[in-house]
Amino acid sequence: MLLLAVDTATPAVTVALHDGESVLAESSQVDARRHGELLLPAVDAVLAEAGLKLDAVTGIVVGTGPGPYTGLRVGLVTAAAFASALGVPVHGLCTLDGLAYAAGSAGLEGPFVVATDARRKEVYWARYEDPRTRVGEPAVDRPADIAEQVAGLPAVGAGALLYPEVFPDARGPEHQSAAALASLAAERLAAGDESPGFLPPTPLYLRRPDAQVPKNYKVVTPQ
């Protein structure tokens, strides 16, 4: 097994290689405006660090969000292109699940909350019973609107750090890690039918894109 994991659903452009037992190489850069520019060089870098070529990959793992429209689709389109070119499967995982798994690796047991920055003064969030078990589906809300639901729970992710009045027990990891995502995928693949499985490699947007076609704009036609 050789998994190539990528995630661009958050400001972190993150890539990792996993051989089914451990992470061989990883790269993470935080830059919310350069996902498309940074992702492929990061893939080249982790392959070079591991001393492997792309055709050795047996599966692609990709974070499906939730996340902003433009950044999220960079990772998903790249994952689909690699999978098609190599003839290998692509496994989708919720980005929040990767952060939860990383939190568990750092010692957090649960229950807890994962929250990422959704912009517009909102967060993408979900509750977890433990690092491998999400409670319900991811959502997008204003922090004040979910204060009662998350009260008393530790929280991880950049969204939690942005709103300490709602998430007073905010802690790391702040950003997504493809290494954690790959480790979670390897664990689920090893579990086979006993695993909760994977998501389709399609985006979890949860709301309309930030860019909108202007309403009532004037149509100019040639005379």
Side-chain angles (χ1 to χ4, degrees):
M1 179 190 297
L2 184 65
L3 300 175
L4 173 65
V6 301
D7 197 317
T8 58
T10 71
V13 180
T14 180
V15 179
L17 281 173
H18 198 291
D19 67 358
E21 296 183 359
S22 62
V23 176
L24 302 180
E26 60 181 299
S27 169
S28 291
Q29 302 172 77
V30 179
D31 192 327
R33 298 181 179 274
R34 299 175 64 208
H35 293 89
E37 184 178 340
L38 296 174
L39 182 57
L40 290 181
V43 172
D44 288 340
V46 298
L47 287 167
E49 182 180 339
L52 296 167
K53 294 186 177 180
L54 185 61
D55 60 8
V57 170
T58 62
I60 309 295
V61 180
V62 63
T64 61
Y69 179 79
T70 302
L72 176 55
R73 65 179 180 172
V74 169
L76 286 163
V77 169
T78 301
F82 282 153
S84 178
L86 297 171
V88 300
V90 55
H91 308 289
L93 285 173
C94 174
T95 295
L96 302 182
D97 290 357
L99 274 159
Y101 190 89
S105 298
L108 187 60
E109 295 182 354
F112 60 90
V113 177
V114 175
T116 61
D117 183 15
R119 305 174 186 171
R120 304 185 191 175
K121 298 181 180 180
E122 295 177 329
V123 293
Y124 297 117
W125 70 285
R127 288 184 57 173
Y128 288 80
E129 186 63 30
D130 58 57
R132 294 171 177 80
T133 309
R134 175 162 33 88
V135 180
E137 297 300 319
V140 57
D141 289 289
R142 290 183 176 270
D145 294 340
I146 60 171
E148 291 187 5
Q149 299 177 63
V150 303
L153 295 175
V156 301
L161 293 169
L162 282 173
Y163 302 99
E165 68 279 6
V166 175
F167 305 103
D169 189 8
R171 56 184 76 181
E174 180 177 357
H175 296 294
Q176 172 68 314
S177 161
L181 202 70
S183 297
L184 176 58
E187 188 176 288
R188 289 187 176 181
L189 286 169
D193 291 341
E194 297 179 4
S195 166
F198 296 94
L199 299 172
T202 54
L204 292 173
Y205 290 133
L206 301 190
R207 69 182 185 202
R208 295 179 62 83
D210 291 336
Q212 299 287 335
V213 176
K215 295 181 179 179
N216 302 320
Y217 63 89
K218 183 177 180 180
V219 177
V220 178
T221 56
Q223 296 295 328

